[in-house]
Amino acid sequence: MKEKIIEILTEQHPEYDFTENVDFFEEGILDSFDMVNLVVDLESNFNIKIDGVDVIPENFSTIENIINLLKSKGAQ
């Protein structure tokens, strides 16, 4: 799961190293438009539905937070 998330993020922004443990929004790596694109990619790759109330920066700020969100939606 982690490797696929990094692959998706790298497709959006190949200039960044998403293996580093940083907050993607605080560091200016991702913005709200990126988050929307990320939701679409995650939903299609993991066959899940992410509710609008879950589309907040905190859920997408780190790889670990993204993994936790996906697991809460039933992704494996």
Side-chain angles (χ1 to χ4, degrees):
M1 180 181 293
K2 181 177 182 176
E3 292 79 19
K4 185 62 179 175
I5 294 168
I6 292 171
E7 179 184 319
I8 291 168
L9 289 166
T10 302
E11 286 175 9
Q12 286 189 11
H13 288 286
E15 68 274 19
Y16 294 114
D17 180 4
F18 288 98
T19 60
E20 293 182 19
N21 190 20
V22 298
D23 185 305
F24 304 138
F25 292 94
E26 282 184 13
E27 296 296 319
I29 297 170
L30 298 180
D31 60 22
S32 58
F33 185 72
D34 294 320
M35 186 169 51
V36 171
N37 288 331
L38 183 57
V39 167
V40 172
D41 288 344
L42 292 171
E43 286 181 334
S44 65
N45 278 278
F46 290 97
N47 199 26
I48 57 162
K49 175 73 176 128
I50 299 173
D51 301 317
V53 296
D54 293 319
V55 183
I56 56 174
E58 291 80 13
N59 286 336
F60 300 93
S61 60
T62 65
I63 298 290
E64 194 62 38
N65 289 356
I66 296 170
I67 290 171
N68 290 337
L69 174 65
L70 294 178
K71 285 182 178 179
S72 76
K73 300 300 173 187
Q76 297 183 13

